[in-house]
Amino acid sequence: MATDVQQKNRYSNADKNSDYTIDQAWDTYSIAEHNRWDRLFECQKKVLPGRACDAFLKAMESLELSEQGIPHMGKLSDRLEKMTGWSVVPVADLVPDDVFFDHLANKRFPAGAFIRPEKEFEYLQEPDVFHDVFGHVPLLAEPVFAEFMEAYGKGGQRALKLGQLPNLARLYWYTVEFGLLQTDDGLRIYGAGIASSPNESVFSLEDFSPNRVMLDLERVMRTKYIIDDYQQTYFVIDSFETLLEACYQDFGDLYAATKSLEAIEAHDLIETDQVLHRGTLNYFKSKKDA
Ligand SMILES: C[C@H](O)[C@H](O)C1=Nc2c(nc(N)[nH]c2=O)NC1
Ligand SMILES: [Fe+3]
């Protein structure tokens, strides 16, 4: 997910194609960079069983993400294309919104080629190869979710024309990045921002601080979000089908409705919420007082 803080990385000066894609130059990754991927992967391999949704865990295997070192995006795309027709294209860093939506609308996921520096092992703000490939790619192997991402890309292009990007960015944030799924065995993670973060994988499901609320499109499009810490509210869907169906309605009325209504604070609950867990917000209060 884009934030305006963009540190330079070793790909930042790479030759860019008109669609901002670059050569991943896979053979230029150092042992240290591959080793950093492996340690991040080991962390998530321990924390995600019983926490990530089945589709995510299944795709980690079928996409052979467990192989040693940073994946070669070309070889990974060969496997993914056979499943849902999607591919993973290397980019140096954040791409402009219109470019991002165009890639998604054409079933290409732009993935940052750089891996986070050691000092940001636990947490970094902009999307690196671990966040983008480990966090986002598995669910692109799930046909319904993959169709949703394509629809989101097309919806994004329309939203840009209508000047409604903030609303759609909120939908992306609270689903693709920080979404939870309700299953018969309880809540499970599908958001890439959570699935690629060892600590938020636990916090999002087990901490008493955050709210957990059933997703409502209009409500989410009015809700502000936190970019530099854990989420204060997590939105829950009951199936990827629900998410996809929701996106096949005309967003025009939604945009009109949200335009006249004030934004909702990230930690607030509203009377129409279907609340699964009313958060204590203690984590955030403690941060504020700190
Ligand atoms: C548009 C979308 O909501 C968001 O602003 C963007 N995300 C990304 C982006 N670029 C990259 N590489 N990765 C993202 O996640 N550009 C824009
Ligand atoms: Fe992301």
Side-chain angles (χ1 to χ4, degrees):
M1 182 64 187
T3 59
D4 47 13
V5 181
Q6 189 61 58
Q7 284 168 18
K8 289 290 156 250
N9 65 72
R10 72 182 182 79
Y11 288 94
S12 297
N13 305 327
D15 300 344
K16 289 186 179 67
N17 302 309
S18 59
D19 64 0
Y20 284 71
T21 57
I22 62 169
D23 173 4
Q24 184 186 10
W26 185 85
D27 46 13
T28 66
Y29 286 118
S30 66
I31 301 300
E33 288 177 315
H34 283 305
N35 176 267
R36 199 165 307 135
W37 170 280
D38 291 342
R39 285 182 288 122
L40 287 162
F41 189 91
E42 285 318 306
C43 286
Q44 293 316 95
K45 213 166 93 183
K46 290 196 194 74
V47 82
L48 289 183
R51 292 192 175 95
C53 63
D54 295 348
F56 188 99
L57 297 172
K58 206 159 71 5
M60 269 168 65
E61 299 310 316
S62 56
L63 288 169
E64 298 164 21
L65 276 180
S66 50
E67 258 173 43
Q68 290 302 318
I70 297 171
H72 183 292
M73 295 184 195
K75 294 183 181 147
L76 178 61
S77 293
D78 294 346
R79 295 192 284 271
L80 183 60
E81 262 152 5
K82 293 190 185 72
M83 298 172 181
T84 59
W86 273 77
S87 62
V88 183
V89 292
V91 295
D93 32 44
L94 294 175
V95 300
D97 295 329
D98 59 333
V99 173
F100 187 71
F101 291 135
D102 180 65
H103 279 302
L104 297 187
N106 293 285
K107 304 172 85 165
R108 295 185 302 264
F109 189 81
F114 73 98
I115 189 152
R116 66 198 63 187
E118 192 61 35
K119 66 181 183 343
E120 292 179 274
F121 185 86
E122 288 287 335
Y123 176 80
L124 91 163
Q125 208 156 310
E126 62 272 0
D128 73 336
V129 68
F130 188 76
H131 169 87
D132 282 334
V133 171
F134 181 88
H136 282 285
V137 173
L139 285 186
L140 295 175
E142 204 290 323
V144 177
F145 190 86
E147 194 179 336
F148 162 72
M149 287 289 277
E150 184 186 354
Y152 178 86
K154 294 188 173 111
Q157 292 169 318
R158 277 197 303 277
L160 267 179
K161 292 194 188 76
L162 298 167
Q164 291 290 341
L165 180 60
N167 286 321
L168 217 62
R170 286 167 174 168
L171 174 64
Y172 190 91
W173 188 266
Y174 281 123
T175 57
V176 179
E177 294 293 351
F178 295 97
L180 298 178
L181 177 67
Q182 190 166 47
T183 75
D184 302 345
D185 312 319
L187 294 184
R188 292 291 183 272
I189 296 163
Y190 75 90
I194 307 175
S196 59
S197 159
N199 303 330
E200 194 154 7
S201 293
V202 176
F203 179 89
S204 62
L205 291 176
E206 288 141 42
D207 199 283
F208 289 102
S209 284
N211 303 312
R212 298 180 187 90
V213 174
M214 288 308 290
L215 182 131
D216 169 83
L217 266 186
E218 182 189 306
R219 195 306 196 189
V220 159
M221 285 187 177
R222 293 173 53 200
T223 307
K224 298 176 183 173
Y225 54 82
I226 307 275
I227 61 169
D228 57 2
D229 203 340
Y230 299 148
Q231 299 307 303
Q232 295 178 321
T233 297
Y234 294 96
F235 288 93
V236 181
I237 59 174
D238 56 16
S239 72
F240 295 138
E241 285 74 12
T242 308
L243 201 49
L244 183 58
E245 272 140 38
C247 282
Y248 279 128
Q249 69 180 279
D250 177 2
F251 277 22
D253 321 341
L254 265 173
Y255 293 150
T258 50
K259 205 183 293 197
S260 56
L261 298 166
E262 83 216 78
I264 300 167
E265 294 303 321
H267 58 266
D268 274 346
L269 291 176
I270 64 172
E271 65 286 347
T272 51
D273 280 341
Q274 199 184 332
V275 180
L276 300 180
H277 172 75
R278 179 178 297 276
T280 62
L281 302 179
N282 287 348
Y283 168 82
F284 310 104
K285 290 174 187 153
S286 64
K287 293 285 285 245
K288 239 202 333 272
D289 308 345

